[in-house]
Amino acid sequence: MASQGFWSLGGDNVPPNTAGSQSPSTPRAWCQAAAQKLSGGLGSKLCALLNVAEMEKTSSELPTKPQETPAAPCDCNKPCNCPKASVRFSDLYSTDLLPASDGDAKTMSFLQEVVDILLAYIVESFDRETKVIDFHYPNELMQRNNWELQDEPESLDDILVSCRATLKYAIKTAHPRYFNQLSTGLDMVGLAADWLTSTANTNMFTYEVAPVFVLLEYVTLKKMREIIGWQDGSGDGIFSPGGAISNMYAMLLARFKMFPEVKEKGMSSVPRLAAFTSEHSHFSIKKGAAALGIGTESVICVKADQTGKMIPADLERKILEAKQKGFVPFFVSATAGTTVYGAFDPLIAVSDICKKYNVWFHVDGAWGGSLLMSRRHRWKLDGVDRANSVTWNPHKMMSVPLQCSALLVREEGLMQNCNQMHACYLFQQDKHYDLSYDTGDKALQCGRHVDIFKLWLMWRAKGTIGFESQIDKCLELSEYLYNKIKDREGYEMVFDGKPQHTNVCFWYLPPGMRHIVDKEEKNKRLHKVAPVIKARMMEYGTTMVSYQPQGDKVNFFRMVISNPAATFEDIDFLIEEIERLGHDL
Amino acid sequence: MASQGFWSLGGDNVPPNTAGSQSPSTPRAWCQAAAQKLSGGLGSKLCALLNVAEMEKTSSELPTKPQETPAAPCDCNKPCNCPKASVRFSDLYSTDLLPASDGDAKTMSFLQEVVDILLAYIVESFDRETKVIDFHYPNELMQRNNWELQDEPESLDDILVSCRATLKYAIKTAHPRYFNQLSTGLDMVGLAADWLTSTANTNMFTYEVAPVFVLLEYVTLKKMREIIGWQDGSGDGIFSPGGAISNMYAMLLARFKMFPEVKEKGMSSVPRLAAFTSEHSHFSIKKGAAALGIGTESVICVKADQTGKMIPADLERKILEAKQKGFVPFFVSATAGTTVYGAFDPLIAVSDICKKYNVWFHVDGAWGGSLLMSRRHRWKLDGVDRANSVTWNPHKMMSVPLQCSALLVREEGLMQNCNQMHACYLFQQDKHYDLSYDTGDKALQCGRHVDIFKLWLMWRAKGTIGFESQIDKCLELSEYLYNKIKDREGYEMVFDGKPQHTNVCFWYLPPGMRHIVDKEEKNKRLHKVAPVIKARMMEYGTTMVSYQPQGDKVNFFRMVISNPAATFEDIDFLIEEIERLGHDL
């Protein structure tokens, strides 16, 4: 056996905890900072709102705790009526909280204190005067705080300090100028739902342990299938840990549908398979093929046109070529909303080819699937109702907190047959309720996180029309950006024509680069522009947007808008910021 | 295109919302219920604590909202000084919250109201007088509330009603008498950390979007590898969405290590493989083999002794047999803590065989891995430091909120080589920071939920010694249970000897069944006892414990203790309850 010396590991040479000096470490300091920050009397209101519970907590403490310091008046420099008392978290440890026998009040004080920190962070995140990111290089960040794990417990005060430090260096993904990923923004109802989910702390595998959540998953998946256009919302589906896994499920189902013996006998019982997807599709198709033992070489790239859409004629050509080489085409993944260009493959044409060659037709709508919620934009997915399976990530364009990804399947029962292993300790067949609600055996996972409640509660709060208007607004903003830069000096669009999703792909050419004639020289220099501007954005912390090369195209910006907090002014700001930070390059 | 009629789907024939009458629907009603429920003045304190913020919120509302009803006195029937005012959530919608321009105060009121609901639920969950579950059959639960999704938005008041209804029918997984799964209990620091994680709402794929969380994952995985006993904590690892996926990663890595060409060429480039695991192992090994294209028939079951431990001699025999049949043994999964018996396979003996035949040695310690934190119990995993990979789920025995599962890998760089696809839009190679922190490309997922913070923060709060004492206590409780029932009338143990983990497996024989001589008749009747008692437990809602058959053994109870809230009295209660509910059978 290895030495048991780990109980003393990490205890030495720990850098001093500097977080306290970096962020307000006491409620009073926070109060002061908040009050100074906010204008129009909101500061003092905020102060009063967040702090009054503390005061009451102290005054309602059991009389057996005479050592409590009495409430001290706040030293805000604004009139704020702030009597936040110092609850002595430095004397408390996690063992003082529930289930400790007298842990109720302490637990509520502690959780309320955490919530106060979170509420302050939330308000700050939506404030344009706040940085999106307080960036530090990894080795620097490692040294800025004591992140090590120790043998001995820390006081709850230290825990609160760690919470503040963690948020100080976090990306403010709710910030109206955070455009870096396909998933941006923070929905308040979704957040509330996620807090509730954490508190319920259960598992999706059986109705027995998650009765409500299992029902809500059933209701929501059915609704999503109705929106796809499947008769009466029939079919199957599951919420999985992200679009890559949803796509992997689809590939797994397609293989099992054609060769059910693969489950027992593996790929050695199956001819050499071929899957098809466009050169602009998501890398998870190849990743899935590698994992499933199909191999990345069996994923055949279909050409896309200049706007990023799959060319159906090339798909048919590649299918025929593969058949001639002895491969069995089993899976086509068309993309509804490609990652970089936001292109929608022509689903009707692709589905015709799939039907002709008897190939499973999957639609990867991880990014673009949400456009089905918009009467104005859902035509871009015409033909999706012909799909055998659809990936649709509400955590992207619908701003549901991470993660929330659905795989919808047209054929009922297939997932169960494909994945079930009949674990008798979990899926007992002699339970006293309807076992069709024990959905765990159709999953690849055993335990499965509850991802449904945040989507369901947001849907209730917004209604379908609320999601629709949120999505329509993001598309309006991207059209505004496109119109603003398409003829602006110093900008070149990566592809012609109005983007179909919120992706706007462009190069910014600093003035000194605009008149270079030599194309190779120009591209060489241009390739470095976006990374430098991005690095500066992160240093200043003002905004974040993604960039990448694609094929033979050098680094360009890919702007995407899924953040419900963004406005026209934020788009203007982005352009100004790119020019400010890139002007000298 | 399918009809767009879904905007009006679900709007008709909706059952009336009955939740309001099932659970307190107004703050005042809640206050009343809480005050009545709790004794010793705590009710009124709770009331005051939770409600005072509301009052202050109202009094600090902007003067432009004159329509607010003035604070009404609470109608508690105890003297509780409860001035909870009615914030008019019925007039507010999600669009009134942030990012709405004047959404700060409304957002904080709404989130605070949700938190008040959650705090009340938490306090209730730990109260032994509360039911573990308010059980309803699926069709009944479906009708007890309006769970449908509509076109139109609901008011925030309706949203709060939905939150209350959801919790009303949820399982109280924190309840001291909830023993149903390997994951039980609710840690307050873990919960706080999960609330923070939701608020930070980011993704693990790059340092760019999750700088702190990526560092904390690095720190924590290294610490876990040190505890496993790997030199200086070197190696690799990832937090994955559950033990099944962690085990699948291990199998994927083992295959890639032996046949790296499988990534590009698939299983057709590889000989017929064979994996080995004991007959008591988790079904995820077979599930993984099915998904990876290896096939369930290639997972060869090794015999276990009567206590559930893998028999090394049988492993060697099965490996030789497989080789003779032309299979290539590539993977052995030994289990540290089997799901039902809690058995620990003899890791040293198994590792010797793996070394002899050059087979990847995986330890599935999803359930038992946490015993490595206990100086008293870690000998049960002697030899784990010889493993090539280890699954370890802190969401089980360490009570980290769901989900938190780690795969630890001895060889550095292998995961990256096995899974990377070099997506240029995400893992740009010209970023300005150290790219080794962009861990996303070694994952099967693209987006990955932040599962690390709750474990990290709990570790800080408890220290290693805190986890140790929590684990030791659970094992003490199970020993207490074992000693209590092993010679008690009406009980039979499923296997001889003291359990190694907290699993205690036993039959309860009602008095009328104790003298049946015919073994077949006895087993036939005994098989029905546990399901009936379990159903009654759920109807009464007093406790929950799992049961299952195993091999030729009819249904028996599998008691497991991972719930830090459980005490000796709760064990006594369980036994009394089984006898009370099963006496007449």
Side-chain angles (χ1 to χ4, degrees):
Chain A
M1 198 63 204
S3 118
Q4 299 199 354
F6 59 84
W7 272 273
S8 60
L9 282 171
D12 304 328
N13 303 320
V14 173
N17 187 328
T18 56
S21 60
Q22 303 295 330
S23 64
S25 62
T26 66
R28 206 179 307 152
W30 183 88
C31 163
Q32 189 170 16
Q36 283 173 334
K37 193 161 177 329
L38 295 167
S39 59
L42 189 59
S44 56
K45 285 184 210 311
L46 189 68
C47 241
L49 180 66
L50 293 182
N51 295 335
V52 73
E54 272 324 312
M55 169 189 66
E56 286 299 318
K57 264 175 254 174
T58 306
S59 68
S60 69
E61 270 293 345
L62 300 175
T64 53
K65 298 257 303 180
Q67 75 275 26
E68 289 286 7
T69 321
C74 174
D75 54 1
C76 285
N77 59 0
K78 292 201 173 190
C80 85
N81 201 19
C82 223
K84 190 152 190 164
S86 42
V87 174
R88 281 187 180 271
F89 289 114
S90 56
D91 292 345
L92 294 178
Y93 287 84
S94 65
T95 44
D96 294 310
L97 304 177
L98 285 169
S101 58
D102 60 345
D104 291 23
K106 289 167 196 157
T107 298
M108 284 192 290
S109 297
F110 169 69
L111 289 177
Q112 185 63 52
E113 189 68 28
V114 171
V115 167
D116 289 353
I117 292 171
L118 299 181
L119 292 178
Y121 179 79
I122 290 165
V123 170
E124 215 183 300
S125 292
F126 283 99
D127 178 359
R128 287 178 177 76
E129 301 302 309
T130 307
K131 282 182 172 188
V132 176
I133 174 174
D134 179 7
F135 181 78
H136 299 277
Y137 290 91
N139 54 358
E140 192 194 342
L141 182 54
M142 196 66 108
Q143 280 159 18
R144 276 200 156 233
N145 203 8
N146 167 16
W147 307 110
E148 291 301 320
L149 297 168
Q150 319 278 356
D151 294 351
E152 299 296 325
E154 293 197 331
S155 74
L156 293 182
D157 198 43
D158 293 327
I159 293 305
L160 293 168
V161 168
S162 285
C163 288
R164 289 190 198 95
T166 299
L167 290 175
K168 175 172 164 53
Y169 301 113
I171 308 294
K172 294 198 172 57
T173 56
H175 197 288
R177 291 171 182 167
Y178 177 71
F179 301 110
N180 207 60
Q181 309 299 139
L182 302 184
S183 309
T184 60
L186 184 62
D187 186 273
M188 291 300 113
V189 172
L191 178 63
D194 218 15
W195 288 358
L196 186 148
T197 301
S198 302
T199 310
N201 192 34
T202 194
N203 198 314
M204 289 298 283
F205 45 43
T206 60
Y207 179 84
E208 181 175 327
V209 303
V212 184
F213 300 130
V214 164
L215 287 191
L216 299 185
E217 186 171 78
Y218 174 86
V219 165
T220 309
L221 287 171
K222 185 164 186 293
K223 183 80 176 175
M224 292 172 89
R225 290 189 303 258
E226 284 170 3
I227 290 174
I228 285 172
W230 290 336
Q231 188 77 42
D232 300 324
S234 69
D236 209 337
I238 200 163
F239 282 85
S240 91
I245 304 290
S246 291
N247 285 340
M248 196 166 95
Y249 265 115
M251 198 179 267
L252 190 62
L253 290 170
R255 180 176 71 180
F256 177 76
K257 175 72 179 169
M258 196 174 272
F259 301 103
E261 64 274 25
V262 73
K263 182 177 178 182
E264 286 84 27
K265 304 207 173 294
M267 289 291 286
S268 60
S269 67
V270 168
R272 193 81 197 269
L273 302 177
F276 302 82
T277 193
S278 101
E279 54 188 333
H280 280 244
S281 72
H282 192 259
F283 68 91
S284 58
I285 304 297
K286 283 199 170 186
K287 210 163 226 186
L292 303 188
I294 293 165
T296 55
E297 287 178 4
S298 291
V299 179
I300 295 166
C301 270
V302 180
K303 278 189 196 153
D305 66 19
Q306 69 93 20
T307 67
K309 289 172 190 292
M310 184 192 280
I311 300 172
D314 193 59
L315 170 63
E316 185 158 17
R317 192 178 315 124
K318 295 277 166 64
I319 287 177
L320 289 169
E321 271 176 31
K323 282 166 78 88
Q324 276 166 2
K325 288 182 188 161
F327 285 83
V328 175
F330 82 110
F331 183 76
V332 170
S333 178
T335 312
T338 58
T339 311
V340 179
Y341 283 19
F344 288 79
D345 289 345
L347 302 187
I348 291 177
V350 172
S351 80
D352 286 342
I353 295 167
C354 289
K355 197 173 173 192
K356 183 170 172 187
Y357 295 98
N358 192 29
V359 178
W360 183 282
F361 174 38
H362 174 64
V363 174
D364 176 4
W367 171 225
S370 300
L371 267 56
L372 289 168
M373 306 288 276
S374 161
R375 280 167 285 194
R376 197 183 302 163
H377 296 287
R378 68 174 272 133
W379 63 269
K380 294 168 186 173
L381 290 102
D382 274 0
V384 69
D385 54 312
R386 303 183 183 189
N388 297 99
S389 55
V390 179
T391 293
W392 174 355
N393 287 8
H395 71 215
K396 293 193 162 86
M397 198 64 194
M398 287 158 75
S399 266
V400 177
L402 289 156
Q403 285 185 299
C404 188
S405 170
L407 179 77
L408 293 314
V409 183
R410 182 214 290 264
E411 183 178 331
E412 216 170 338
L414 192 65
M415 289 193 85
Q416 188 77 14
N417 290 336
C418 178
N419 294 324
Q420 71 186 349
M421 291 291 153
H422 306 288
C424 62
Y425 70 88
L426 195 55
F427 311 113
Q428 300 91 338
Q429 296 305 299
D430 44 13
K431 282 178 182 169
H432 62 307
Y433 60 81
D434 178 356
L435 298 177
S436 68
Y437 290 94
D438 282 3
T439 54
D441 213 11
K442 69 182 177 194
L444 277 176
Q445 301 174 269
C446 172
R448 186 158 62 92
H449 189 260
V450 177
D451 291 336
I452 184 59
F453 190 62
K454 48 202 175 189
L455 169 59
W456 181 84
L457 199 69
M458 281 174 67
W459 206 319
R460 295 277 285 207
K462 290 177 198 295
T464 309
I465 58 167
F467 277 124
E468 178 182 41
S469 69
Q470 183 176 314
I471 290 161
D472 286 353
K473 186 193 145 203
C474 288
L475 279 138
E476 268 169 45
L477 286 176
S478 75
E479 194 171 340
Y480 173 79
L481 171 62
Y482 170 73
N483 287 329
K484 183 168 174 135
I485 61 174
K486 71 176 160 44
D487 303 316
R488 189 181 178 96
E489 199 188 342
Y491 290 82
E492 282 180 27
M493 304 312 290
V494 173
F495 57 91
D496 297 333
K498 202 171 83 175
Q500 291 224 302
H501 207 320
T502 68
N503 309 46
V504 181
C505 296
F506 61 91
W507 288 281
Y508 167 69
L509 288 88
M513 230 174 267
R514 287 177 201 166
H515 305 291
I516 300 173
V517 180
D518 183 288
K519 205 171 172 186
E520 199 176 325
E521 167 69 11
K522 188 176 170 184
N523 273 341
K524 201 175 149 191
R525 286 183 59 187
L526 188 55
H527 190 57
K528 292 175 186 158
V529 169
V532 172
I533 293 177
K534 171 68 177 277
R536 290 177 178 178
M537 279 177 179
M538 289 178 70
E539 297 274 2
Y540 281 99
T542 46
T543 185
M544 277 173 78
V545 58
S546 192
Y547 73 85
Q548 67 287 299
Q550 169 101 15
D552 58 357
K553 296 184 163 68
V554 300
N555 276 322
F556 55 87
F557 285 112
R558 179 208 64 178
M559 176 68 176
V560 282
I561 303 159
S562 62
N563 193 334
T567 63
F568 293 105
E569 287 72 25
D570 296 313
I571 304 297
D572 293 340
F573 177 84
L574 177 83
I575 292 303
E576 284 160 25
E577 195 65 0
I578 285 175
E579 293 174 5
R580 182 176 80 87
L581 299 173
H583 193 262
D584 63 322
L585 295 175
Chain B
M1 195 66 202
S3 116
Q4 300 199 356
F6 59 84
W7 272 273
S8 59
L9 284 172
D12 305 327
N13 303 320
V14 172
N17 187 329
T18 56
S21 61
Q22 303 296 330
S23 65
S25 62
T26 65
R28 207 179 308 154
W30 183 88
C31 163
Q32 188 171 18
Q36 282 173 333
K37 192 162 181 330
L38 295 166
S39 59
L42 188 59
S44 56
K45 285 184 211 311
L46 188 67
C47 240
L49 180 67
L50 292 182
N51 295 335
V52 72
E54 273 323 313
M55 170 189 64
E56 286 300 317
K57 263 175 255 172
T58 306
S59 68
S60 70
E61 271 292 347
L62 300 174
T64 52
K65 298 257 303 180
Q67 75 276 24
E68 289 286 7
T69 322
C74 175
D75 54 1
C76 285
N77 59 359
K78 292 198 175 191
C80 86
N81 202 19
C82 224
K84 188 152 190 168
S86 43
V87 174
R88 280 189 180 269
F89 289 115
S90 55
D91 292 345
L92 294 178
Y93 287 84
S94 65
T95 43
D96 294 310
L97 304 177
L98 286 168
S101 59
D102 61 344
D104 291 22
K106 289 168 197 157
T107 298
M108 285 191 290
S109 296
F110 170 70
L111 289 176
Q112 185 63 53
E113 189 69 27
V114 172
V115 167
D116 289 353
I117 293 170
L118 299 180
L119 292 178
Y121 178 80
I122 290 165
V123 170
E124 215 183 300
S125 292
F126 284 99
D127 179 0
R128 287 179 177 76
E129 301 302 309
T130 308
K131 283 181 170 189
V132 176
I133 175 174
D134 179 6
F135 181 78
H136 299 277
Y137 291 91
N139 54 357
E140 191 194 344
L141 182 53
M142 196 66 108
Q143 281 159 16
R144 275 199 157 235
N145 204 7
N146 167 16
W147 306 109
E148 291 301 320
L149 298 169
Q150 319 279 356
D151 294 351
E152 299 296 323
E154 293 198 329
S155 74
L156 293 182
D157 198 43
D158 294 326
I159 292 305
L160 293 169
V161 168
S162 285
C163 288
R164 289 189 198 96
T166 299
L167 290 174
K168 175 171 163 53
Y169 302 113
I171 309 293
K172 294 196 172 58
T173 55
H175 197 287
R177 290 170 183 167
Y178 177 72
F179 302 110
N180 208 59
Q181 310 297 139
L182 303 183
S183 309
T184 60
L186 183 63
D187 186 273
M188 291 300 113
V189 172
L191 179 64
D194 219 15
W195 288 358
L196 186 148
T197 301
S198 303
T199 310
N201 192 34
T202 194
N203 199 313
M204 289 298 283
F205 45 42
T206 59
Y207 180 84
E208 183 175 324
V209 303
V212 183
F213 300 131
V214 164
L215 286 191
L216 298 185
E217 186 171 77
Y218 175 85
V219 165
T220 308
L221 286 171
K222 184 164 187 293
K223 184 80 176 176
M224 292 172 88
R225 290 189 302 259
E226 283 170 3
I227 290 174
I228 285 172
W230 290 336
Q231 188 78 43
D232 300 324
S234 69
D236 208 338
I238 199 163
F239 282 85
S240 92
I245 303 291
S246 291
N247 285 339
M248 195 167 94
Y249 266 115
M251 197 179 267
L252 190 62
L253 289 170
R255 180 176 70 181
F256 177 76
K257 175 71 179 170
M258 196 174 271
F259 301 102
E261 64 275 24
V262 72
K263 181 176 177 181
E264 286 84 27
K265 304 205 174 296
M267 289 291 286
S268 60
S269 68
V270 169
R272 193 83 197 266
L273 302 177
F276 303 82
T277 192
S278 101
E279 53 188 335
H280 279 244
S281 71
H282 192 259
F283 68 90
S284 56
I285 304 297
K286 284 201 168 184
K287 211 163 223 185
L292 304 188
I294 293 164
T296 55
E297 287 178 4
S298 290
V299 179
I300 295 166
C301 269
V302 181
K303 277 189 195 152
D305 66 18
Q306 68 93 19
T307 66
K309 290 172 190 292
M310 185 192 279
I311 300 172
D314 193 58
L315 170 64
E316 185 157 19
R317 193 177 317 122
K318 296 277 166 64
I319 287 177
L320 289 170
E321 271 175 30
K323 283 166 78 89
Q324 276 166 1
K325 288 182 190 161
F327 285 83
V328 175
F330 81 110
F331 182 77
V332 170
S333 178
T335 312
T338 59
T339 311
V340 179
Y341 283 18
F344 289 79
D345 289 344
L347 302 186
I348 291 176
V350 172
S351 81
D352 285 342
I353 296 167
C354 289
K355 197 173 174 191
K356 184 170 170 188
Y357 296 98
N358 191 30
V359 177
W360 183 282
F361 174 38
H362 174 63
V363 174
D364 176 5
W367 172 225
S370 300
L371 266 58
L372 289 168
M373 306 289 276
S374 162
R375 280 166 287 193
R376 197 184 303 162
H377 296 287
R378 68 175 270 132
W379 63 269
K380 295 168 186 173
L381 289 104
D382 274 0
V384 68
D385 54 312
R386 303 183 182 187
N388 297 97
S389 55
V390 179
T391 293
W392 174 355
N393 287 7
H395 71 215
K396 294 194 162 84
M397 199 63 194
M398 287 158 76
S399 266
V400 177
L402 289 158
Q403 287 185 299
C404 188
S405 169
L407 179 77
L408 294 312
V409 183
R410 184 214 291 264
E411 183 178 331
E412 217 170 335
L414 191 65
M415 291 194 84
Q416 187 77 15
N417 289 336
C418 178
N419 294 323
Q420 71 186 349
M421 292 289 153
H422 306 288
C424 62
Y425 71 89
L426 196 55
F427 310 114
Q428 300 92 338
Q429 294 306 299
D430 45 13
K431 282 177 182 168
H432 62 306
Y433 60 81
D434 178 354
L435 297 177
S436 68
Y437 290 95
D438 282 1
T439 55
D441 213 12
K442 70 183 176 192
L444 277 176
Q445 300 173 269
C446 172
R448 186 159 60 94
H449 188 260
V450 177
D451 290 337
I452 183 60
F453 190 63
K454 47 203 175 188
L455 169 59
W456 181 84
L457 199 69
M458 282 175 66
W459 206 320
R460 294 277 284 209
K462 291 177 197 295
T464 309
I465 59 168
F467 277 124
E468 179 183 40
S469 70
Q470 183 177 313
I471 290 161
D472 286 354
K473 187 195 144 202
C474 288
L475 280 137
E476 270 169 44
L477 286 177
S478 76
E479 196 171 338
Y480 173 77
L481 171 62
Y482 169 74
N483 287 329
K484 182 167 175 132
I485 61 173
K486 72 176 159 47
D487 302 318
R488 189 181 178 96
E489 199 189 341
Y491 290 81
E492 282 180 26
M493 305 310 291
V494 172
F495 58 90
D496 296 335
K498 202 171 82 175
Q500 290 225 303
H501 207 319
T502 69
N503 309 48
V504 181
C505 296
F506 61 92
W507 289 281
Y508 168 69
L509 288 86
M513 228 174 269
R514 288 177 199 165
H515 306 292
I516 300 174
V517 179
D518 184 289
K519 206 172 172 187
E520 200 176 324
E521 166 69 11
K522 188 175 169 183
N523 274 340
K524 201 176 148 191
R525 286 183 59 186
L526 189 54
H527 190 56
K528 291 175 187 159
V529 169
V532 172
I533 294 177
K534 170 69 177 277
R536 290 177 178 178
M537 278 176 180
M538 288 178 69
E539 297 274 1
Y540 283 98
T542 46
T543 184
M544 278 173 77
V545 58
S546 192
Y547 74 86
Q548 68 286 298
Q550 169 103 17
D552 58 357
K553 296 184 164 70
V554 300
N555 276 323
F556 55 87
F557 286 111
R558 179 209 63 178
M559 176 69 177
V560 282
I561 303 159
S562 62
N563 193 334
T567 62
F568 293 105
E569 288 71 26
D570 295 312
I571 304 297
D572 293 339
F573 176 83
L574 176 83
I575 292 302
E576 285 160 25
E577 194 65 359
I578 286 175
E579 293 175 5
R580 181 176 80 86
L581 299 173
H583 194 264
D584 64 322
L585 294 176

